[in-house]
């Protein structure tokens, strides 16, 4: 753990402190965004003797009411729709401030854009352009009154998503059916409901609840004495409503197909985490959806289109008598027959990501 205004020198596993006015960054100590970085020229002899002066942070730009360029090497003017903000000592677009009790409408923001000379490539001025509706500019000057800002690392959180303060970027909320309101908090559009647990990850918007709702976060198991125990899982609370709704009310066009598949995959994983217990809400919801789907893969009634396969629904005699796998096995090493099985572990995230697979044993 390293303290404030320090950075990690990785090859020495050491925390080094930055002397003011410099601030810590991943690469080392740098000047603040509103300070000009003045490079010192060093000769080869100075470098060899280790007597080069450090780069200095200068107030030259702010004294001229000019902004510091993004590379901290030039003083440039604020033009057109931007102006020099004496509080932040940088160009500003005059975005509306945080409102404690917003009226539920979209916040309208502009972001800074830095223009460069076509021949020299040097920055020449900063101006403002409008953000797409529903997005916002997360800048310190805009949200410094909002309690969700973390002053120690200049990050801001809403709806389970974390944003870096950046006046040059318009950022969207974590769900396409969310928007930033005038309090710079993410809200679901009219007709949608916000679900998920912000402390676990990004929240989502759903338009309809899944059919099965009661006690969906309950996980039941037996303790070491064989007695039943029930607890509420924050992971199930975070995922279930979103993925059960997304799987049950499937959409069949474009990116929505992939979203439906991912939702059904996560719902199936929640069922597996309940040990395939058909009395649990995730497994019961999964089975209900399977029964509603019409088309199946490879003649297996339990393996429905765009859904994982968890249960055999065919008659047990049909399953035992199936000869679809053309593999002959033997307890002895006979010619033309296999005597060993190759087991492999495949690892996915609870949601949708494939991590890796590995061979568990050579035989």
């Amino acid at each position: 753990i390293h303290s404030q205004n320090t950075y990690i020198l990785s090859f020495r596993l050491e925390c080094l402190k930055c002397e003011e006015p410099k601030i810590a960054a991943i690469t080392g100590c740098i000047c603040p965004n509103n300070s000009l970085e003045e490079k010192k020229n060093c000769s080869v002899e100075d470098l060899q003797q280790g007597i080069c002066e450090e780069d200095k942070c200068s107030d030259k730009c702010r004294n001229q009411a000019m902004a510091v360029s993004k590379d901290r090497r030039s003083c440039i003017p604020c033009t057109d729709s931007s102006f020099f903000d004496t509080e932040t000592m940088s160009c500003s677009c005059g975005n509306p401030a945080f409102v404690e009790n917003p009226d539920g409408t979209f916040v309208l923001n502009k972001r800074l854009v830095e223009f460069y000379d076509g021949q020299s490539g040097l920055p020449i001025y900063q101006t403002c352009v409008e953000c797409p509706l529903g997005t916002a500019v997360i800048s310190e000057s805009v949200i410094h009154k909002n309690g969700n800002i973390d002053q120690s690392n200049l990050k801001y959180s809403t709806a389970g998503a974390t944003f870096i303060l950046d006046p040059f970027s318009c950022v969207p909320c974590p769900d396409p059916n969310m928007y930033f309101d005038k309090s710079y908090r993410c809200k679901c559009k009219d007709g949608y409901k916000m679900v998920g647990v912000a402390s676990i990850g990004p929240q989502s918007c759903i338009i309809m609840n899944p059919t099965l709702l009661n006690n969906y976060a309950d996980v039941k198991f037996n303790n070491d004495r064989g007695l039943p125990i029930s607890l509420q899982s924050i992971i199930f609370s975070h995922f279930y409503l979103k993925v059960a709704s997304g799987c049950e009310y499937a959409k069949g066009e474009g990116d929505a197909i992939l979203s439906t598949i991912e939702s059904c995959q996560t719902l199936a994983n929640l069922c597996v985490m309940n040990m395939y217990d058909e009395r649990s809400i995730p497994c019961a919801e999964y089975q209900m959806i399977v029964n509603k789907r019409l088309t199946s893969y490879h003649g297996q009634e339990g393996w429905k289109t765009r859904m994982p396969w968890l249960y055999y629904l065919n008659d047990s005699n049909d399953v035992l008598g199936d000869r679809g796998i053309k593999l002959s096995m033997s307890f002895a090493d006979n010619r033309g027959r296999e005597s060993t099985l190759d087991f492999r572990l495949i690892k996915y995230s609870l949601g949708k990501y494939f991590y890796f697979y590995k061979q568990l044993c050579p035989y």
Side-chain angles (χ1 to χ4, degrees):
I1 299 175
H2 56 98
S3 59
Q4 192 171 2
N5 209 31
T6 62
Y7 70 98
I8 299 176
L9 193 61
S10 57
F11 69 90
R12 288 169 53 183
L13 297 178
E14 183 179 357
C15 292
L16 299 180
K17 184 175 179 59
C18 296
E19 299 297 330
E20 294 186 355
K22 289 192 174 183
I23 58 175
I26 295 177
T27 55
C29 299
I30 61 174
C31 293
N33 290 335
N34 56 6
S35 292
L36 190 68
E37 193 174 82
E38 294 186 334
K39 293 285 186 182
K40 298 295 182 180
N41 293 323
C42 288
S43 64
V44 175
E45 291 76 15
D46 290 338
L47 287 170
Q48 290 173 341
Q49 297 178 29
I51 58 174
C52 283
E53 294 185 39
E54 289 188 355
D55 299 335
K56 300 295 183 181
C57 300
S58 168
D59 293 336
K60 176 182 176 182
C61 296
R62 71 177 70 178
N63 294 336
Q64 300 176 19
M66 298 178 75
V68 177
S69 61
K70 295 178 72 173
D71 63 5
R72 300 183 179 87
R73 301 294 179 83
S74 307
C75 297
I76 54 178
C78 309
T79 63
D80 298 332
S81 57
S82 69
F83 63 92
F84 185 75
D85 188 333
T86 56
E87 183 177 343
T88 62
M89 298 298 172
S90 60
C91 290
S92 173
C93 296
N95 287 322
F98 165 79
V99 176
E100 184 62 45
N101 297 304
D103 57 10
T105 58
F106 294 74
V107 67
L108 301 176
N109 275 182
K110 295 179 180 180
R111 68 180 179 94
L112 284 173
V113 177
E114 189 167 277
F115 280 80
Y116 299 85
D117 183 85
Q119 294 184 344
S120 67
L122 296 175
I124 50 178
Y125 67 88
Q126 291 179 358
T127 187
C128 299
V129 297
E130 292 184 354
C131 288
L133 192 63
T135 65
V137 174
I138 309 300
S139 62
E140 191 172 5
S141 63
V142 170
I143 61 169
H144 69 280
K145 293 182 180 179
N146 193 332
N148 288 340
I149 186 172
D150 184 343
Q151 295 286 359
S152 64
N153 57 15
L154 296 181
K155 293 181 180 179
Y156 172 74
S157 297
T158 178
T162 300
F163 304 93
I164 297 173
L165 305 191
D166 182 6
F168 292 90
S169 298
C170 304
V171 294
C173 290
D175 189 282
N177 292 305
M178 285 183 188
Y179 66 93
F180 279 96
D181 69 4
K182 293 180 180 178
S183 69
Y184 290 85
R185 296 187 180 99
C186 288
K187 302 291 183 183
C188 290
K189 297 176 182 177
D190 289 345
Y192 287 85
K193 170 186 176 182
M194 185 176 290
V195 296
V197 182
S199 61
I200 296 298
Q203 293 177 281
S204 308
C205 299
I206 63 172
I207 197 166
M208 293 180 67
N209 281 325
T211 299
L212 302 182
L213 289 172
N214 294 334
N215 304 318
Y216 62 83
D218 287 356
V219 179
K220 298 179 180 179
F221 58 95
N222 293 333
N223 63 13
D224 54 1
R225 291 181 295 175
L227 299 176
I229 293 178
S230 178
L231 57 81
Q232 280 211 327
S233 167
I234 194 171
I235 295 296
F236 281 60
S237 296
H238 179 66
F239 282 103
Y240 176 76
L241 291 178
K242 174 189 176 183
V243 300
S245 176
C247 184
E248 181 174 351
Y249 308 113
K251 298 177 181 178
E253 296 182 0
D255 293 339
I257 297 177
L258 180 59
S259 177
T260 295
I261 294 173
E262 291 171 353
S263 294
C264 294
Q265 180 68 53
T266 306
L267 177 62
N269 286 340
L270 295 180
C271 176
V272 172
M273 291 171 68
N274 268 296
M275 305 304 293
Y276 299 86
D277 183 354
E278 296 180 45
R279 297 167 298 177
S280 69
I281 296 301
C283 292
E285 174 78 14
Y286 168 89
Q287 288 281 53
M288 183 200 69
I289 298 171
V290 165
N291 292 333
K292 287 182 177 180
R293 299 282 171 92
L294 299 178
T295 56
S296 303
Y297 289 121
H298 305 293
Q300 294 293 336
E301 285 301 312
W303 191 4
K304 292 300 175 68
T305 304
R306 298 175 187 163
M307 293 195 69
W309 186 16
L310 296 187
Y311 301 97
Y312 282 103
L313 297 186
N314 302 65
D315 183 87
S316 58
N317 290 327
D318 293 338
V319 174
L320 291 173
D322 183 85
R323 294 295 180 264
I325 299 176
K326 307 298 183 182
L327 182 66
S328 297
M329 299 296 300
S330 172
F331 287 110
D333 189 10
N334 296 330
R335 179 177 295 181
R337 295 183 175 226
E338 297 290 337
S339 59
T340 61
L341 292 176
D342 183 11
F343 291 99
R344 302 191 179 221
L345 174 68
I346 302 176
K347 184 175 181 179
Y348 292 87
S349 68
L350 178 59
K352 57 187 178 181
Y353 297 109
F354 168 78
Y355 287 149
F356 63 82
Y357 79 92
K358 66 177 182 179
Q359 191 174 19
L360 291 180
C361 53
Y363 49 86

